Amino acid sequence: METSNLPAIRALRPAWNKGRIVGQKRPLKPKHVWAIRVRLELAENHRDLALFNLAIDSKLRGCDLVKMRVVDVMASGQIKERASVLQSKTQKPVRFEISEGTRASLARWMREPLMVGSEYLWPGRFHERLHISTRQYARIVRDWVTSIGLEASAYGTHSMRRTKVTQIYKKTGNLRAVQLLLGHTKMDSTVRYLGVELEDALVIAEAIEI
């Protein structure tokens, strides 16, 4: 007697984005940046402070930030004032500034025992992992934002990438500068990334009273 093939029955799982805020992540505001910095300084968490500061300055994607090497930021025993990193997505270099505060936090992190002989700027804790993973970086960012009372689902690694350029655009309105800093090849990508058209429209609307 032949047995008919019955369709496979799969357990119903909740949607991966159920209860989550998806889409573009919010940039941090200046008060958020300083609140996180103060907490990391008080906790003497030198690795996270250096990582946080460089994430803000570099405006790099998480995949590029975690793979940064010591030679990317240091030359002749000194932290560089400017650095250049080849982006994995576009295969094009992007340059960025390293501010004084970031240089100080990086120099302090370099003196940690974990950094002795390390090729990578953010070494992993296991021998088979040369540097921290993007997933680990995402968990670190979540800890940062929740430590100051922000909703974790509204922020992510791209919040770090967007934070400084959002302030630059607000103060200067220079989209070309933002495009260069983000390493975008097309201006349309920068416009969509910042959501500037919608933001500008809202500002205009708020200024009109009827």
Side-chain angles (χ1 to χ4, degrees), residues 127-143:
H127 294 296
E128 66 273 12
R129 183 175 295 170
L130 298 176
H131 55 77
I132 63 173
S133 64
T134 52
R135 181 171 293 184
Q136 185 178 353
Y137 174 51
R139 288 197 297 266
I140 293 171
V141 172
R142 181 190 61 199
D143 291 342

Side-chain angles (χ1 to χ4, degrees), residues 179-199:
Q179 180 192 6
L180 292 172
L181 292 170
L182 288 173
H184 285 163
T185 55
K186 296 181 180 179
M187 184 68 76
D188 288 349
S189 300
T190 307
V191 171
R192 288 194 304 270
Y193 194 78
L194 290 180
V196 293
E197 291 180 329
L198 175 59
E199 186 65 28

Side-chain angles (χ1 to χ4, degrees), residues 6 11 24-25 30 33 41 44 55 57 59 66 89 91-92 113 116 119 137 161 164 178 184 197 201:
L6 298 176
Q24 206 169 57
K25 300 298 184 180
V33 172
E41 288 174 354
E44 296 185 352
D57 276 357
K59 303 163 284 288
V66 299
K89 184 176 181 179
Q91 292 300 305
K92 293 185 178 180
V116 176
E119 178 185 357
Y137 174 51
R161 179 164 158 80
K164 196 165 188 176
V178 173
H184 285 163
E197 291 180 329

Side-chain angles (χ1 to χ4, degrees), residues 15-199:
W16 69 270
N17 58 351
K18 183 178 181 181
R20 299 182 183 179
I21 298 176
V22 296
Q24 206 169 57
K25 300 298 184 180
R26 301 174 186 172
L28 295 174
K29 296 180 179 179
K31 64 179 181 180
H32 298 150
V33 172
W34 285 107
I36 292 173
R37 277 181 181 152
V38 168
R39 285 180 176 270
L40 294 176
E41 288 174 354
L42 291 175
E44 296 185 352
N45 191 335
H46 305 302
R47 195 271 315 255
D48 276 20
L49 181 60
L51 178 60
F52 178 77
N53 285 337
L54 192 61
I56 296 291
D57 276 357
S58 69
K59 303 163 284 288
L60 289 171
R61 298 176 181 87
C63 58
D64 294 323
L65 182 67
V66 299
K67 291 186 292 186
M68 286 188 69
R69 300 171 185 262
V70 173
V71 295
D72 291 330
V73 299
M74 180 173 279
S76 302
Q78 298 292 325
I79 306 296
K80 301 175 183 178
E81 294 186 1
R82 291 182 180 178
S84 178
V85 170
L86 185 69
Q87 300 176 101
S88 57
K89 184 176 181 179
T90 63
Q91 292 300 305
K92 293 185 178 180
V94 61
R95 296 192 70 193
F96 56 89
E97 76 292 351
I98 304 179
S99 63
E100 184 178 353
T102 301
R103 294 199 301 272
S105 60
L106 281 169
R108 179 63 185 83
W109 168 235
M110 294 293 186
R111 296 196 294 269
E112 289 291 308
L114 185 62
M115 289 302 295
V116 176
S118 175
E119 178 185 357
Y120 289 92
L121 200 53
W122 322 111
R125 294 183 178 179
F126 303 100
H127 294 296
E128 66 273 12
R129 183 175 295 170
L130 298 176
H131 55 77
I132 63 173
S133 64
T134 52
R135 181 171 293 184
Q136 185 178 353
Y137 174 51
R139 288 197 297 266
I140 293 171
V141 172
R142 181 190 61 199
D143 291 342
W144 290 341
V145 298
T146 55
S147 70
I148 59 170
L150 297 177
E151 175 58 47
S153 60
Y155 298 86
T157 57
H158 268 279
S159 298
M160 311 303 298
R161 179 164 158 80
R162 296 182 65 208
T163 292
K164 196 165 188 176
V165 291
T166 298
Q167 294 301 316
I168 291 171
Y169 177 73
K170 284 183 178 180
K171 292 181 179 180
T172 67
N174 191 332
L175 268 178
R176 175 58 179 165
V178 173
Q179 180 192 6
L180 292 172
L181 292 170
L182 288 173
H184 285 163
T185 55
K186 296 181 180 179
M187 184 68 76
D188 288 349
S189 300
T190 307
V191 171
R192 288 194 304 270
Y193 194 78
L194 290 180
V196 293
E197 291 180 329
L198 175 59
E199 186 65 28

